[in-house]
Amino acid sequence: MTETTTPATTAATAEAAPGTPAPLLSVRDLTMTFPGRRSATGRRGAPVRAVDGVSFDLAAGRTLGLVGESGCGKSTTGRMIVRLLQPTSGRVVLDGEDISRLSQGALRPLRGSIQMVFQDPHSSLNPRQTVARIISEPLLVQGRSAGDARRRAAELMELVGLIPEHIDRYPHEFSGGQAQRIGIARALATGPRLIVADEPVSALDVSVQAQIVNLMERLRAELGLAYVFIAHDLSVVKRVSDRVAVMYLGRIVEIGDKAALYANPQHPYTRALLSAVPLPDPAAERRRERIVLLGDPPSPAAPPPGCTFHPRCPKAQEICRTERPLLRLAASREVACHFPGD
């Protein structure tokens, strides 16, 4: 199988140009392969490549939206960035230092710079611990005294819109939106520069989603945070992101500036995803074309040859079945498609 080449200077994979600041986060050729499951007879199945060569840069104070269907590898990518999972190969460079192969001991001093907010707030909070303990625990691990950690926890509760007097309550005494605010406060405890937010609003009511999104935007402006914002809701991603990366079956198929990508998507998969986002104008909603993809995504344990999207793509031709396209410049963003555009 042959592969198309991509220019060395494309936006997602190029090193910073001379005279420009280096990115806060640089991900290069990140790959995660899980061993296959064992059957009832003890035979192990084919390995699953959940993430397959993901690369992107993220500047300080900016937000990258990572979108795609369930099972596309976006959450696995986020967990590798914060080293909850050890990458099979590739690099994660945080503020100039490659953290992808550091031991846990060497990584501990750097964990204060990168934190994670999880999808389900209640399952990510220890029900046996008070809010004071949950928020202050990262500070205690970093060597702060118990008194300083508790005072900082109260400050963070107020920062995220909670009542500091409730610091000795337990997670079950809070609503879903309040619990997610606790999770955000815990992530802020060590003063991180980067937060990986894995579906942070998908488990919440719509009205509460807006509150959490507004909170995260305010915190980004006040604290200079950078986010990797993982979601399947493209309307939320449009609200919070500066750049958007679209993943399909473990690979980025399109990445670029938010405005350009939403206004004129180049990859057929991106076009299909955006066609499913409801429009606020009923007349425009009735006029537009809804793109319905046939079938389900292939198994990452047995991906199709060539372009992995070709079995579902309405534009697929023979080259799509034999050659896997790599990211290349098309209409001011990068697209992994032999026939980008309309």
Side-chain angles (χ1 to χ4, degrees), residues 18-154:
T20 61
L24 173 64
L25 175 68
S26 181
V27 174
R28 292 289 176 271
D29 300 319
L30 204 59
T31 299
M32 186 70 214
T33 302
F34 293 103
R37 293 182 177 179
R38 290 190 182 275
S39 66
T41 61
R43 187 173 183 177
R44 188 175 291 279
V48 176
R49 179 161 286 196
V51 178
D52 187 7
V54 166
S55 298
F56 61 82
D57 287 337
L58 177 61
R62 310 290 282 179
T63 298
L64 174 75
L66 201 57
V67 303
E69 293 172 288
S70 297
C72 70
K74 55 188 186 294
S75 292
T76 302
T77 299
R79 289 172 180 267
M80 284 192 288
I81 291 173
V82 300
R83 281 293 306 276
L84 291 179
L85 290 174
Q86 174 66 49
T88 303
S89 62
R91 293 187 300 148
V92 178
V93 180
L94 178 65
D95 206 13
E97 182 166 1
D98 188 351
I99 66 171
S100 55
R101 292 293 179 270
L102 292 180
S103 67
Q104 290 299 319
L107 185 63
R108 177 171 291 183
L110 300 175
R111 285 204 178 276
S113 298
I114 180 170
Q115 292 291 315
M116 190 164 188
V117 175
F118 297 91
Q119 176 178 359
D120 186 346
H122 282 293
S123 66
S124 67
L125 304 177
N126 190 333
R128 297 176 181 270
Q129 293 183 348
T130 64
V131 172
R133 176 68 185 187
I134 290 171
I135 298 177
S136 63
E137 187 166 18
L139 296 171
L140 298 174
V141 171
Q142 296 290 330
R144 297 277 289 272
S145 69
D148 286 344
R150 183 180 174 87
R151 283 190 292 272
R152 179 59 177 159

Side-chain angles (χ1 to χ4, degrees), residues 9-308:
T9 57
T10 54
T13 58
E15 301 292 341
T20 61
L24 173 64
L25 175 68
S26 181
V27 174
R28 292 289 176 271
D29 300 319
L30 204 59
T31 299
M32 186 70 214
T33 302
F34 293 103
R37 293 182 177 179
R38 290 190 182 275
S39 66
T41 61
R43 187 173 183 177
R44 188 175 291 279
V48 176
R49 179 161 286 196
V51 178
D52 187 7
V54 166
S55 298
F56 61 82
D57 287 337
L58 177 61
R62 310 290 282 179
T63 298
L64 174 75
L66 201 57
V67 303
E69 293 172 288
S70 297
C72 70
K74 55 188 186 294
S75 292
T76 302
T77 299
R79 289 172 180 267
M80 284 192 288
I81 291 173
V82 300
R83 281 293 306 276
L84 291 179
L85 290 174
Q86 174 66 49
T88 303
S89 62
R91 293 187 300 148
V92 178
V93 180
L94 178 65
D95 206 13
E97 182 166 1
D98 188 351
I99 66 171
S100 55
R101 292 293 179 270
L102 292 180
S103 67
Q104 290 299 319
L107 185 63
R108 177 171 291 183
L110 300 175
R111 285 204 178 276
S113 298
I114 180 170
Q115 292 291 315
M116 190 164 188
V117 175
F118 297 91
Q119 176 178 359
D120 186 346
H122 282 293
S123 66
S124 67
L125 304 177
N126 190 333
R128 297 176 181 270
Q129 293 183 348
T130 64
V131 172
R133 176 68 185 187
I134 290 171
I135 298 177
S136 63
E137 187 166 18
L139 296 171
L140 298 174
V141 171
Q142 296 290 330
R144 297 277 289 272
S145 69
D148 286 344
R150 183 180 174 87
R151 283 190 292 272
R152 179 59 177 159
E155 293 172 358
L156 289 169
M157 286 190 70
E158 188 171 9
L159 180 64
V160 300
L162 296 173
I163 300 174
E165 287 74 16
H166 294 169
I167 195 170
D168 290 316
R169 292 186 176 184
Y170 289 85
H172 73 270
E173 299 180 75
F174 295 87
S175 67
Q178 290 173 327
Q180 192 61 292
R181 290 174 187 265
I182 296 170
I184 293 171
R186 177 179 58 184
L188 295 174
T190 57
R193 301 183 64 194
L194 170 67
I195 290 180
V196 176
D198 185 10
E199 303 270 12
V201 298
S202 64
L204 307 176
D205 293 339
V206 174
S207 60
V208 179
Q209 288 182 12
Q211 296 173 17
I212 297 300
V213 167
N214 290 338
L215 169 65
M216 296 184 70
E217 282 289 271
R218 176 174 63 82
L219 293 173
R220 181 176 78 152
E222 293 179 0
L223 305 178
L225 298 171
Y227 292 126
V228 175
F229 195 97
I230 300 169
H232 63 268
D233 188 334
L234 277 79
S235 59
V236 173
V237 171
K238 185 178 182 180
R239 168 71 175 82
V240 303
S241 301
D242 301 297
R243 300 177 72 233
V244 177
V246 181
M247 289 189 67
Y248 183 80
L249 209 65
R251 297 176 64 86
I252 291 178
V253 297
E254 185 167 359
I255 181 170
D257 177 75
K258 170 188 67 177
L261 187 143
Y262 275 77
N264 184 24
Q266 295 294 297
H267 197 281
Y269 179 61
T270 309
R271 297 179 66 86
L273 288 180
L274 290 176
S275 76
V277 178
L279 297 177
D281 183 353
E285 177 71 25
R286 288 192 296 269
R287 288 195 303 268
R288 75 166 176 173
E289 176 189 4
R290 175 73 169 88
I291 301 174
V292 180
L293 297 176
L294 301 178
D296 296 320
S299 169
C307 174
T308 54

Side-chain angles (χ1 to χ4, degrees), residues 305-323:
C307 174
T308 54
F309 184 62
H310 85 257
R312 308 173 72 194
C313 181
K315 299 170 60 176
Q317 300 185 31
E318 185 58 33
I319 189 175
C320 304
R321 299 177 178 88
T322 57
E323 295 186 14

